[in-house]
Amino acid sequence: MSNKSKAIEIHALNKWYGSYQALKDINLTVDHGERIVVCGPSGSGKSTLIRCVNSLEVHDSGQIIVDEIEMKDDESIHEIRSEVGMVFQQFNLFPHLTILQNLTLGPIKARGMSKVDAEERAMRYLERVRIPDQAHKKPSELSGGQQQRVAIARSLCMEPKIMLFDEPTSALDPEMISEVLDVIVDLAEDGMTMICVTHEMGFARRAADRMIFMDHGEIIETGKPEEFFEAPKSERCRKFLSQILQH
Amino acid sequence: MTLKTSIALACILFVAGCSAAPGAWGWYVIDPRTTSGYNNIRFLLNGFGATILLSLIAASLSMVIGLLVALPGMSSNRWLRYPSRIYIEFIRAIPLLPMLFWVFYGLPVVLKSIGISVSIDAFWGAIITLAISDSAFTAEIYRAGIQSINKGQTEAAKTVGLNYAQTMRYVVMPQAIKRILPPLANQFIYIVKMSAFASVIGMQELTRRANELVVTEYRPLEIYSLLILEYLVLVLIISFFVRWLERKMGSDESK
């Protein structure tokens, strides 16, 4: 792959909800294999930003290019979505399907894989997130941590090049957070390109190549984790970090 | 509950009938032991076929039209959404009886003026009217059911590459159907009862036959009592069937 090719390029991105501007002139490029952690106070636009990357939110102006595909029409959005996996705060597993069916639905219906191949692949990823024995249960029978790991495996079954995590541990009980973060760190070590919105700063130190701090729809500060945590440049970022790191 | 209610209702009718005209209680008119009574009963019961067929076809059409109206109504595109809203608001505002007259007497004229020469008989006139009138309500039932499914479900479906039709078919509808079914069944009961209006354009269903018999026998109390009983039995059977279906599909979320 050439040096010039980027995983994600975002230029002058703006997004409004009515008269409220959720994203203000965002510029961001992400290299292949890069792991980015986005943090910031609630309402700062961090979720909106990553939801724009796979067009779950439609931006109002600016340019988004994912793996050299420019987002412009339904067809390009469909192509981009097939490159980008996403894990949600609320897991969003399909409650009427078994774990295995959750994992094979996309590969079978969207990719036209055979059931046997899709199930074989699903079991491989379930092993990777360490819950192959739950394959035939319904999501409601699993703990929150297990459900989120299933959600990660479901995304991986589409074999995406980029993973987006939207506060993947915020809805979890404290004792289940690490089992989910371990799986994400695992992925990061394998070279997966990822953007993760999270407040887990210990995880950020372990896994991130670059930190991004957002506030009021803007990227305020960006930097390597060590600099970011030791010597934040902006006052707002310093204040935010002191608030979330003091306990 | 329903059984107790029906027994109570029968008692009240019986007592009311007795007190209205002492000694003139006229069950003979539908007494199956006499030839004329037997023939009268057969005449009345023969209306079941038309009522059931009418209701079934109208309800099926209404379910299809309702879905076709509801889906664009949930679009983010206003040019898809507005026509759906207008249809629902407009159709919902028209009472059934005037619409029935309009379809039966007016629609053939409209069609003829644009070069389509068809006659609409009472059967199809009633079906078209019932289906269209009811479709506005079924559309709202679909909308409520589909919108009750968490938005995260469609978002997750998008991220695993499903298109709109696949998302509806494999993710949204299997979950929504459990919430749609009970009100839809309610709506079917409503159609069965509203089908009585078809009698005014000459459709030979339960109500029409009762009316005709009343004219010849002049025994309204007995004949209309039987008519009510006929609808009651029909609706109770449907209710029973719906409960069974709900149990089978696991719609009952209380257990």
Side-chain angles (χ1 to χ4, degrees):
Chain A
M1 212 160 289
S2 75
N3 283 340
K4 288 224 169 129
S5 135
K6 300 285 184 193
I8 302 170
E9 289 178 71
I10 296 172
H11 301 297
L13 190 73
N14 285 289
K15 163 98 190 147
W16 279 268
Y17 292 115
S19 60
Y20 175 75
Q21 190 168 6
L23 293 176
K24 295 174 192 163
D25 193 36
I26 301 284
N27 290 286
L28 176 68
T29 54
V30 180
D31 287 322
H32 286 287
E34 197 174 14
R35 285 97 59 167
I36 291 180
V37 165
V38 185
C39 63
S42 67
S44 60
K46 48 198 194 306
S47 286
T48 308
L49 173 62
I50 68 165
R51 287 164 59 84
C52 279
V53 172
N54 62 356
S55 194
L56 287 184
E57 300 285 348
V58 180
H59 58 282
D60 294 299
S61 71
Q63 193 185 26
I64 297 175
I65 303 168
V66 178
D67 201 34
E68 298 183 329
I69 305 160
E70 186 181 350
M71 189 184 291
K72 48 184 195 289
D73 50 17
D74 285 353
E75 198 189 333
S76 61
I77 288 171
H78 193 73
E79 272 181 66
I80 287 173
R81 281 187 184 146
S82 72
E83 311 262 309
V84 180
M86 184 157 196
V87 173
F88 302 87
Q89 184 178 349
Q90 300 296 340
F91 327 140
N92 294 344
L93 295 178
F94 308 129
H96 58 299
L97 302 177
T98 65
I99 300 307
L100 196 61
Q101 289 168 331
N102 263 274
L103 268 62
T104 56
L105 185 65
I108 292 174
K109 302 303 176 191
R111 292 280 164 81
M113 264 179 105
S114 74
K115 189 165 175 250
V116 178
D117 290 350
E119 287 184 350
E120 192 257 332
R121 181 188 280 185
M123 287 312 294
R124 203 165 68 232
Y125 284 112
L126 278 181
E127 266 158 40
R128 176 140 193 204
V129 299
R130 304 177 197 112
I131 36 176
D133 45 328
Q134 313 285 354
H136 298 285
K137 289 188 182 167
K138 289 280 179 74
S140 59
E141 296 172 71
L142 271 56
S143 73
Q146 291 173 325
Q147 289 190 47
Q148 192 61 299
R149 285 186 281 152
V150 170
I152 294 170
R154 179 176 66 180
S155 282
L156 293 175
C157 278
M158 301 302 289
E159 313 219 300
K161 292 183 180 162
I162 300 160
M163 285 287 288
L164 306 172
F165 295 89
D166 188 2
E167 305 204 28
T169 58
S170 299
L172 295 175
D173 291 333
E175 75 272 18
M176 295 172 182
I177 290 175
S178 67
E179 66 188 60
V180 172
L181 290 181
D182 285 345
V183 168
I184 301 175
V185 169
D186 230 36
L187 272 178
E189 284 167 355
D190 275 9
M192 174 70 81
T193 308
M194 56 173 72
I195 305 181
C196 183
V197 173
T198 183
H199 292 143
E200 295 294 331
M201 290 303 138
F203 161 78
R205 280 173 194 268
R206 266 164 83 198
D209 297 317
R210 180 152 49 123
M211 297 294 300
I212 289 176
F213 173 73
M214 287 184 73
D215 196 12
H216 295 111
E218 292 174 285
I219 294 181
I220 304 293
E221 187 161 341
T222 155
K224 295 212 168 296
E226 47 273 32
E227 301 159 21
F228 182 85
F229 288 112
E230 302 313 323
K233 287 179 281 244
S234 68
E235 183 53 38
R236 271 193 276 181
C237 185
R238 212 165 14 245
K239 194 163 162 246
F240 174 77
L241 287 176
S242 75
Q243 278 166 345
I244 63 165
L245 292 176
Q246 69 187 339
H247 43 244
Chain B
M1 178 60 202
T2 42
L3 189 66
K4 274 185 193 163
T5 319
S6 46
I7 291 170
L9 191 68
C11 291
I12 290 166
L13 281 171
F14 185 75
V15 172
C18 290
S19 62
W25 191 240
W27 283 118
Y28 69 86
V29 68
I30 46 170
D31 186 344
R33 289 168 300 185
T34 67
T35 313
S36 67
Y38 177 75
N39 287 339
N40 285 345
I41 285 193
R42 278 196 52 177
F43 178 72
L44 290 172
L45 295 186
N46 272 341
F48 266 119
T51 291
I52 292 170
L53 196 62
L54 190 64
S55 307
L56 276 178
I57 298 177
S60 310
L61 283 175
S62 162
M63 281 169 67
V64 174
I65 300 170
L67 189 62
L68 294 179
V69 170
L71 289 178
M74 288 176 285
S75 166
S76 54
N77 181 339
R78 77 178 74 164
W79 299 112
L80 290 172
R81 201 170 62 235
Y82 286 174
S84 163
R85 264 338 296 173
I86 291 168
Y87 176 90
I88 290 171
E89 294 301 337
F90 186 78
I91 297 298
R92 217 164 38 171
I94 309 173
L96 190 68
L97 198 51
M99 197 198 283
L100 190 62
F101 289 144
W102 193 89
V103 168
F104 188 61
Y105 298 110
L107 190 58
V109 183
V110 174
L111 292 175
K112 198 170 181 186
S113 73
I114 57 170
I116 305 167
S117 191
V118 290
S119 63
I120 296 176
D121 63 11
F123 184 66
W124 285 103
I127 283 178
I128 292 168
T129 310
L130 279 170
I132 288 179
S133 168
D134 192 63
S135 65
F137 294 91
T138 40
E140 290 291 81
I141 290 170
Y142 283 120
R143 186 171 67 90
I146 290 171
Q147 286 182 340
S148 76
I149 302 304
N150 192 314
K151 202 165 153 255
Q153 292 289 308
T154 47
E155 290 183 347
K158 282 178 188 173
T159 64
V160 294
L162 301 189
N163 61 30
Y164 175 77
Q166 291 169 329
T167 302
M168 277 293 154
R169 176 157 170 217
Y170 299 112
V171 176
V172 176
M173 278 318 239
Q175 297 180 61
I177 195 73
K178 296 177 181 180
R179 297 177 196 184
I180 289 172
L181 194 69
L184 214 52
N186 230 13
Q187 207 55 33
F188 182 57
I189 290 172
Y190 176 84
I191 280 203
V192 169
K193 297 198 292 178
M194 290 305 121
S195 72
F197 277 112
S199 63
V200 301
I201 55 170
M203 177 74 209
Q204 285 280 326
E205 42 66 77
L206 289 174
T207 305
R208 176 76 181 194
R209 282 166 182 264
N211 270 339
E212 289 181 357
L213 200 62
V214 166
V215 170
T216 54
E217 296 282 353
Y218 203 66
R219 275 286 162 195
L221 173 64
E222 294 77 10
I223 293 168
Y224 288 140
S225 298
L226 183 65
L227 178 63
I228 287 174
L229 198 64
E230 286 173 316
Y231 281 109
L232 191 67
V233 167
L234 195 52
V235 169
L236 286 178
I237 290 171
I238 298 167
S239 295
F240 182 80
F241 176 71
V242 169
R243 292 280 170 284
W244 173 81
L245 198 65
E246 280 177 16
R247 263 200 308 278
K248 201 173 168 230
M249 296 184 66
S251 285
D252 189 358
E253 285 171 6
S254 61
K255 54 172 187 183

PDB file of all heavy atoms in Angstrom, chain A residues 11 16 20 31 33 51 60 62 66 88 122 131 162 164 172 203 209 212 236:
ATOM      1  N   HIS A  11     -12.489  16.206   5.511  1.00  0.00           N
ATOM      2  CA  HIS A  11     -12.126  17.596   5.220  1.00  0.00           C
ATOM      3  C   HIS A  11     -13.302  18.521   5.479  1.00  0.00           C
ATOM      4  O   HIS A  11     -14.389  18.306   4.953  1.00  0.00           O
ATOM      5  CB  HIS A  11     -11.709  17.754   3.746  1.00  0.00           C
ATOM      6  CG  HIS A  11     -10.546  16.901   3.373  1.00  0.00           C
ATOM      7  ND1 HIS A  11      -9.304  17.044   3.935  1.00  0.00           N
ATOM      8  CD2 HIS A  11     -10.444  15.860   2.496  1.00  0.00           C
ATOM      9  CE1 HIS A  11      -8.480  16.142   3.422  1.00  0.00           C
ATOM     10  NE2 HIS A  11      -9.151  15.402   2.554  1.00  0.00           N
ATOM     11  N   TRP A  16     -25.185  20.086  11.299  1.00  0.00           N
ATOM     12  CA  TRP A  16     -26.125  20.824  12.143  1.00  0.00           C
ATOM     13  C   TRP A  16     -27.292  19.925  12.552  1.00  0.00           C
ATOM     14  O   TRP A  16     -27.729  19.070  11.771  1.00  0.00           O
ATOM     15  CB  TRP A  16     -26.723  22.009  11.384  1.00  0.00           C
ATOM     16  CG  TRP A  16     -25.858  23.235  11.316  1.00  0.00           C
ATOM     17  CD1 TRP A  16     -25.849  24.297  12.171  1.00  0.00           C
ATOM     18  CD2 TRP A  16     -24.883  23.554  10.303  1.00  0.00           C
ATOM     19  NE1 TRP A  16     -24.935  25.238  11.769  1.00  0.00           N
ATOM     20  CE2 TRP A  16     -24.332  24.814  10.629  1.00  0.00           C
ATOM     21  CE3 TRP A  16     -24.422  22.886   9.160  1.00  0.00           C
ATOM     22  CZ2 TRP A  16     -23.346  25.418   9.850  1.00  0.00           C
ATOM     23  CZ3 TRP A  16     -23.438  23.475   8.390  1.00  0.00           C
ATOM     24  CH2 TRP A  16     -22.909  24.737   8.733  1.00  0.00           C
ATOM     25  N   TYR A  20     -28.517  24.058  15.767  1.00  0.00           N
ATOM     26  CA  TYR A  20     -27.382  23.697  16.617  1.00  0.00           C
ATOM     27  C   TYR A  20     -26.290  23.035  15.789  1.00  0.00           C
ATOM     28  O   TYR A  20     -26.539  22.055  15.084  1.00  0.00           O
ATOM     29  CB  TYR A  20     -27.851  22.749  17.729  1.00  0.00           C
ATOM     30  CG  TYR A  20     -26.734  22.228  18.594  1.00  0.00           C
ATOM     31  CD1 TYR A  20     -26.129  23.044  19.549  1.00  0.00           C
ATOM     32  CD2 TYR A  20     -26.275  20.916  18.452  1.00  0.00           C
ATOM     33  CE1 TYR A  20     -25.101  22.568  20.333  1.00  0.00           C
ATOM     34  CE2 TYR A  20     -25.242  20.428  19.241  1.00  0.00           C
ATOM     35  CZ  TYR A  20     -24.661  21.261  20.173  1.00  0.00           C
ATOM     36  OH  TYR A  20     -23.644  20.799  20.956  1.00  0.00           O
ATOM     37  N   ASP A  31      -4.387   7.092   9.381  1.00  0.00           N
ATOM     38  CA  ASP A  31      -3.575   6.167   8.584  1.00  0.00           C
ATOM     39  C   ASP A  31      -4.070   4.737   8.741  1.00  0.00           C
ATOM     40  O   ASP A  31      -4.755   4.418   9.708  1.00  0.00           O
ATOM     41  CB  ASP A  31      -2.113   6.227   9.056  1.00  0.00           C
ATOM     42  CG  ASP A  31      -1.439   7.517   8.633  1.00  0.00           C
ATOM     43  OD1 ASP A  31      -1.724   7.982   7.511  1.00  0.00           O
ATOM     44  OD2 ASP A  31      -0.655   8.053   9.446  1.00  0.00           O
ATOM     45  N   GLY A  33      -4.001   1.202   9.979  1.00  0.00           N
ATOM     46  CA  GLY A  33      -3.398   0.618  11.174  1.00  0.00           C
ATOM     47  C   GLY A  33      -3.337   1.545  12.373  1.00  0.00           C
ATOM     48  O   GLY A  33      -2.895   1.149  13.448  1.00  0.00           O
ATOM     49  N   ARG A  51     -20.065   8.579  13.816  1.00  0.00           N
ATOM     50  CA  ARG A  51     -21.262   8.109  13.111  1.00  0.00           C
ATOM     51  C   ARG A  51     -21.352   8.703  11.705  1.00  0.00           C
ATOM     52  O   ARG A  51     -22.062   8.162  10.850  1.00  0.00           O
ATOM     53  CB  ARG A  51     -22.517   8.438  13.924  1.00  0.00           C
ATOM     54  CG  ARG A  51     -22.658   7.520  15.167  1.00  0.00           C
ATOM     55  CD  ARG A  51     -23.660   8.097  16.163  1.00  0.00           C
ATOM     56  NE  ARG A  51     -24.982   8.260  15.569  1.00  0.00           N
ATOM     57  CZ  ARG A  51     -25.875   7.288  15.486  1.00  0.00           C
ATOM     58  NH1 ARG A  51     -25.604   6.100  15.976  1.00  0.00           N
ATOM     59  NH2 ARG A  51     -27.044   7.497  14.932  1.00  0.00           N
ATOM     60  N   ASP A  60     -23.636  17.757   6.684  1.00  0.00           N
ATOM     61  CA  ASP A  60     -24.230  18.817   5.862  1.00  0.00           C
ATOM     62  C   ASP A  60     -23.253  19.383   4.847  1.00  0.00           C
ATOM     63  O   ASP A  60     -23.651  19.758   3.754  1.00  0.00           O
ATOM     64  CB  ASP A  60     -24.764  19.940   6.773  1.00  0.00           C
ATOM     65  CG  ASP A  60     -25.919  19.447   7.616  1.00  0.00           C
ATOM     66  OD1 ASP A  60     -26.932  19.046   7.036  1.00  0.00           O
ATOM     67  OD2 ASP A  60     -25.803  19.431   8.856  1.00  0.00           O
ATOM     68  N   GLY A  62     -18.741  19.323   3.612  1.00  0.00           N
ATOM     69  CA  GLY A  62     -17.441  18.717   3.835  1.00  0.00           C
ATOM     70  C   GLY A  62     -17.316  17.402   3.087  1.00  0.00           C
ATOM     71  O   GLY A  62     -18.254  16.969   2.419  1.00  0.00           O
ATOM     72  N   VAL A  66     -13.263   7.273   2.695  1.00  0.00           N
ATOM     73  CA  VAL A  66     -12.881   6.105   3.474  1.00  0.00           C
ATOM     74  C   VAL A  66     -12.249   5.092   2.536  1.00  0.00           C
ATOM     75  O   VAL A  66     -12.894   4.637   1.585  1.00  0.00           O
ATOM     76  CB  VAL A  66     -14.107   5.480   4.182  1.00  0.00           C
ATOM     77  CG1 VAL A  66     -13.691   4.239   4.960  1.00  0.00           C
ATOM     78  CG2 VAL A  66     -14.751   6.485   5.118  1.00  0.00           C
ATOM     79  N   PHE A  88     -21.638  -0.443  19.144  1.00  0.00           N
ATOM     80  CA  PHE A  88     -22.440   0.603  19.770  1.00  0.00           C
ATOM     81  C   PHE A  88     -22.391   0.517  21.292  1.00  0.00           C
ATOM     82  O   PHE A  88     -22.165  -0.547  21.861  1.00  0.00           O
ATOM     83  CB  PHE A  88     -23.906   0.477  19.340  1.00  0.00           C
ATOM     84  CG  PHE A  88     -24.127   0.557  17.855  1.00  0.00           C
ATOM     85  CD1 PHE A  88     -24.050  -0.589  17.066  1.00  0.00           C
ATOM     86  CD2 PHE A  88     -24.426   1.760  17.237  1.00  0.00           C
ATOM     87  CE1 PHE A  88     -24.267  -0.519  15.701  1.00  0.00           C
ATOM     88  CE2 PHE A  88     -24.638   1.833  15.874  1.00  0.00           C
ATOM     89  CZ  PHE A  88     -24.564   0.690  15.106  1.00  0.00           C
ATOM     90  N   ALA A 122     -18.182 -17.406  11.771  1.00  0.00           N
ATOM     91  CA  ALA A 122     -18.758 -16.878  13.016  1.00  0.00           C
ATOM     92  C   ALA A 122     -18.132 -17.554  14.232  1.00  0.00           C
ATOM     93  O   ALA A 122     -17.776 -16.887  15.207  1.00  0.00           O
ATOM     94  CB  ALA A 122     -20.271 -17.062  13.017  1.00  0.00           C
ATOM     95  N   ILE A 131     -16.105 -16.532  23.537  1.00  0.00           N
ATOM     96  CA  ILE A 131     -17.399 -17.067  23.978  1.00  0.00           C
ATOM     97  C   ILE A 131     -18.026 -18.038  22.972  1.00  0.00           C
ATOM     98  O   ILE A 131     -19.211 -17.951  22.674  1.00  0.00           O
ATOM     99  CB  ILE A 131     -18.423 -15.940  24.284  1.00  0.00           C
ATOM    100  CG1 ILE A 131     -18.256 -14.785  23.320  1.00  0.00           C
ATOM    101  CG2 ILE A 131     -18.390 -15.519  25.719  1.00  0.00           C
ATOM    102  CD1 ILE A 131     -19.282 -13.700  23.509  1.00  0.00           C
ATOM    103  N   ILE A 162     -11.746  -1.172   8.952  1.00  0.00           N
ATOM    104  CA  ILE A 162     -11.751  -0.130   9.980  1.00  0.00           C
ATOM    105  C   ILE A 162     -12.837  -0.471  10.992  1.00  0.00           C
ATOM    106  O   ILE A 162     -13.922  -0.921  10.614  1.00  0.00           O
ATOM    107  CB  ILE A 162     -12.063   1.240   9.349  1.00  0.00           C
ATOM    108  CG1 ILE A 162     -10.998   1.597   8.296  1.00  0.00           C
ATOM    109  CG2 ILE A 162     -12.170   2.330  10.413  1.00  0.00           C
ATOM    110  CD1 ILE A 162     -11.445   2.644   7.313  1.00  0.00           C
ATOM    111  N   LEU A 164     -15.123   1.113  14.230  1.00  0.00           N
ATOM    112  CA  LEU A 164     -15.520   2.280  15.013  1.00  0.00           C
ATOM    113  C   LEU A 164     -16.146   1.784  16.310  1.00  0.00           C
ATOM    114  O   LEU A 164     -17.000   0.891  16.289  1.00  0.00           O
ATOM    115  CB  LEU A 164     -16.541   3.116  14.239  1.00  0.00           C
ATOM    116  CG  LEU A 164     -16.152   3.558  12.830  1.00  0.00           C
ATOM    117  CD1 LEU A 164     -17.348   4.212  12.138  1.00  0.00           C
ATOM    118  CD2 LEU A 164     -14.973   4.511  12.863  1.00  0.00           C
ATOM    119  N   LEU A 172     -21.787  -0.742  30.507  1.00  0.00           N
ATOM    120  CA  LEU A 172     -21.449  -1.997  31.191  1.00  0.00           C
ATOM    121  C   LEU A 172     -21.236  -1.801  32.685  1.00  0.00           C
ATOM    122  O   LEU A 172     -20.810  -0.735  33.135  1.00  0.00           O
ATOM    123  CB  LEU A 172     -20.159  -2.577  30.595  1.00  0.00           C
ATOM    124  CG  LEU A 172     -20.224  -3.031  29.142  1.00  0.00           C
ATOM    125  CD1 LEU A 172     -18.840  -3.448  28.680  1.00  0.00           C
ATOM    126  CD2 LEU A 172     -21.207  -4.170  28.977  1.00  0.00           C
ATOM    127  N   PHE A 203      -7.222   2.430  29.142  1.00  0.00           N
ATOM    128  CA  PHE A 203      -7.273   1.755  27.847  1.00  0.00           C
ATOM    129  C   PHE A 203      -6.605   2.606  26.780  1.00  0.00           C
ATOM    130  O   PHE A 203      -5.837   2.111  25.953  1.00  0.00           O
ATOM    131  CB  PHE A 203      -8.737   1.459  27.492  1.00  0.00           C
ATOM    132  CG  PHE A 203      -8.977   1.190  26.037  1.00  0.00           C
ATOM    133  CD1 PHE A 203      -8.660  -0.041  25.473  1.00  0.00           C
ATOM    134  CD2 PHE A 203      -9.520   2.170  25.218  1.00  0.00           C
ATOM    135  CE1 PHE A 203      -8.879  -0.291  24.130  1.00  0.00           C
ATOM    136  CE2 PHE A 203      -9.742   1.932  23.871  1.00  0.00           C
ATOM    137  CZ  PHE A 203      -9.418   0.705  23.328  1.00  0.00           C
ATOM    138  N   ASP A 209      -2.622   5.202  19.441  1.00  0.00           N
ATOM    139  CA  ASP A 209      -1.476   5.862  18.828  1.00  0.00           C
ATOM    140  C   ASP A 209      -1.636   7.367  18.946  1.00  0.00           C
ATOM    141  O   ASP A 209      -0.676   8.104  18.951  1.00  0.00           O
ATOM    142  CB  ASP A 209      -1.394   5.532  17.322  1.00  0.00           C
ATOM    143  CG  ASP A 209      -1.168   4.060  17.095  1.00  0.00           C
ATOM    144  OD1 ASP A 209      -0.343   3.483  17.812  1.00  0.00           O
ATOM    145  OD2 ASP A 209      -1.831   3.496  16.207  1.00  0.00           O
ATOM    146  N   ILE A 212      -7.540  12.284  20.599  1.00  0.00           N
ATOM    147  CA  ILE A 212      -8.215  13.472  20.096  1.00  0.00           C
ATOM    148  C   ILE A 212      -9.161  13.960  21.178  1.00  0.00           C
ATOM    149  O   ILE A 212      -9.927  13.172  21.738  1.00  0.00           O
ATOM    150  CB  ILE A 212      -9.002  13.159  18.806  1.00  0.00           C
ATOM    151  CG1 ILE A 212      -8.028  12.916  17.650  1.00  0.00           C
ATOM    152  CG2 ILE A 212      -9.957  14.300  18.467  1.00  0.00           C
ATOM    153  CD1 ILE A 212      -8.695  12.516  16.365  1.00  0.00           C
ATOM    154  N   ARG A 236      -9.003  23.785  28.293  1.00  0.00           N
ATOM    155  CA  ARG A 236     -10.217  22.951  28.336  1.00  0.00           C
ATOM    156  C   ARG A 236      -9.872  21.473  28.490  1.00  0.00           C
ATOM    157  O   ARG A 236     -10.514  20.731  29.210  1.00  0.00           O
ATOM    158  CB  ARG A 236     -11.044  23.169  27.061  1.00  0.00           C
ATOM    159  CG  ARG A 236     -12.034  24.317  27.193  1.00  0.00           C
ATOM    160  CD  ARG A 236     -13.021  24.311  26.075  1.00  0.00           C
ATOM    161  NE  ARG A 236     -12.505  24.981  24.892  1.00  0.00           N
ATOM    162  CZ  ARG A 236     -13.203  25.131  23.762  1.00  0.00           C
ATOM    163  NH1 ARG A 236     -14.422  24.634  23.672  1.00  0.00           N
ATOM    164  NH2 ARG A 236     -12.686  25.738  22.733  1.00  0.00           N
TER     165      ARG A 236
END
